[in-house]
Amino acid sequence: MAQRRKVVAAVNRELEQRFGFRLVRIKDEEEVPPPPVEVVVEEEVKPRIPVRRPSDPRDRLVQRPVFLLSSVRSGSTLSRVILNSHSQIHSPHEMHFRRTQVIAYTTPVQQALEHFDLNERDLEHLLWDRMLHRELTMSGKSVLVEKTPSNVFVADRLATAWPKAKFIYLIRHPWSIAQSWHEGDPENRPLNKAIRHTLNYMEYLEKARNKRAGLTIRYEDLTSEPVKQTQLICEFLGLEWEPGMLEYGKKDHGDFKKGIGDWKEKIKTGTIQPGRPLPDISDVPVELRPMVERWGY
């Protein structure tokens, strides 16, 4: 018993020193002490780190990347493998680099960054650019197209970090997008959730489309008129069209895995498959109808 008291006393001393409270044995309801008053310490609000253009063009190893912006389930993986089949276009798996962050933990690091006129966002851009450059260099090609759908949420940042970037906007019928995302995991993606989730992507994509110039491609047109649409893309990128782009199944594009692109059987066929029939407007949920109208379906 004496040994247990010593242990409890030692634990309480440590708790009081570290956290300001101690353990008390409760014997009955009358002896229950009132809860301790919680002291809320307001944290210092740090200023937002600005997103800036590169101070020197030499900061970018890839001067003119191409960003293919789209919602999820819009045919971006099909677009990727078609483009990647061109002799001069490298379109890798989704890179998701926007989630790769830099944090200057210590004061000396912050001082060093200030001395070199850099901030954490600048360093992130250098890192992202290095990732793009590594992919492009190892491919031996001249044009890089990155197609991570969540890039729609940082379109302004991409345009700031790469002032010479080009943008391709890939759209699809909004109801087809929502249905396709729902079908990928029906149990965890009920239709009401699928509509909200995909509509968020569509709205950010539409903001980007309205804000800066680029080439808009419809998924339905890409699947029904692949020659015409790929010719438009090549013209936009300043490249000669190559018929081999339409035979993407003859090229190696890496594994099709969930999380970094489409993984369904349709994309694994190696041939361009027709899209699903366009729905009648009366069958489209009301939440999606404004976007259907804006996109001209």
Side-chain angles (χ1 to χ4, degrees):
M1 181 66 71
Q3 181 65 26
R4 185 171 65 181
R5 290 198 187 99
K6 290 181 180 180
V7 172
V8 172
V11 170
N12 274 332
R13 283 196 301 272
E14 186 71 11
L15 289 174
E16 287 179 336
Q17 291 175 1
R18 288 175 174 265
F19 307 108
F21 66 84
R22 59 188 287 114
L23 299 176
V24 178
R25 182 181 179 185
I26 299 175
K27 296 182 179 180
D28 52 50
E29 292 185 358
E30 288 72 23
E31 295 181 1
V32 176
V37 177
E38 182 180 358
V39 178
V40 179
V41 179
E42 294 187 3
E43 294 185 2
E44 179 184 358
V45 179
K46 295 183 179 181
R48 187 181 181 89
I49 301 174
V51 174
R52 309 184 296 187
R53 292 167 64 95
S55 58
D56 189 311
R58 292 171 295 181
D59 268 357
R60 295 294 173 265
L61 298 176
V62 181
Q63 291 282 326
R64 295 177 174 83
V66 181
F67 295 105
L68 189 152
L69 300 184
S70 74
S71 167
V72 291
R73 305 307 304 165
S74 292
S76 63
T77 298
L78 175 63
S79 302
R80 176 184 86 80
V81 293
I82 289 174
L83 294 175
N84 197 51
S85 299
H86 192 286
S87 64
Q88 291 303 312
I89 301 175
H90 178 53
S91 189
H93 280 301
E94 296 169 11
M95 301 181 74
H96 295 276
F97 55 62
R98 65 179 284 259
R99 294 300 189 188
T100 304
Q101 298 178 324
V102 170
I103 300 176
Y105 278 109
T106 67
T107 299
V109 173
Q110 296 166 359
Q111 291 174 325
L113 292 181
E114 183 178 354
H115 174 76
F116 292 110
D117 190 25
L118 293 169
N119 64 33
E120 292 173 3
R121 302 295 85 82
D122 297 329
L123 283 185
E124 287 170 359
H125 297 160
L126 292 174
L127 175 59
W128 299 355
D129 179 67
R130 180 63 181 87
M131 292 172 66
L132 295 177
H133 183 258
R134 179 177 183 271
E135 276 297 312
L136 186 59
T137 300
M138 294 181 70
S139 74
K141 298 183 179 182
S142 60
V143 176
L144 185 135
V145 179
E146 213 287 320
K147 70 91 171 177
T148 306
S150 61
N151 280 343
V152 296
F153 303 120
V154 290
D156 288 346
R157 184 172 178 182
L158 297 178
T160 300
W162 284 276
K164 296 180 181 180
K166 287 189 173 185
F167 291 87
I168 297 174
Y169 304 108
L170 178 65
I171 65 175
R172 185 185 185 184
H173 194 288
W175 186 216
S176 297
I177 292 174
Q179 287 179 300
S180 181
W181 194 75
H182 159 70
E183 292 163 1
D185 190 351
E187 183 176 348
N188 295 311
R189 300 174 181 178
L191 270 175
N192 61 339
K193 179 180 179 180
I195 291 170
R196 293 194 305 270
H197 180 80
T198 57
L199 184 57
N200 191 38
Y201 278 84
M202 295 180 231
E203 289 173 342
Y204 272 88
L205 175 59
E206 184 65 1
K207 289 178 184 178
R209 253 187 9 124
N210 290 332
K211 193 165 187 177
R212 60 185 55 85
L215 175 67
T216 296
I217 296 291
R218 286 191 183 193
Y219 168 75
E220 293 84 1
D221 294 338
L222 181 63
T223 57
S224 63
E225 303 175 323
V227 173
K228 179 180 178 180
Q229 299 305 311
T230 52
Q231 286 175 339
L232 288 174
I233 295 174
C234 287
E235 181 181 356
F236 177 69
L237 299 180
L239 299 171
E240 292 290 330
W241 180 74
E242 297 178 358
M245 298 173 67
L246 307 184
E247 300 178 320
Y248 74 84
K250 296 182 178 180
K251 304 291 179 65
D252 180 14
H253 306 286
D255 294 335
F256 295 105
K257 295 182 179 179
K258 186 176 181 180
I260 53 175
D262 191 2
W263 72 101
K264 298 293 191 64
E265 293 304 315
K266 194 173 182 180
I267 192 68
K268 295 177 182 178
T269 63
T271 58
I272 301 173
Q273 303 289 315
R276 67 179 71 200
L278 295 180
D280 187 89
I281 191 63
S282 61
D283 296 326
V284 177
V286 293
E287 303 96 316
L288 296 174
R289 291 181 186 179
M291 192 63 70
V292 171
E293 183 178 355
R294 272 183 273 177
W295 285 358
Y297 283 97

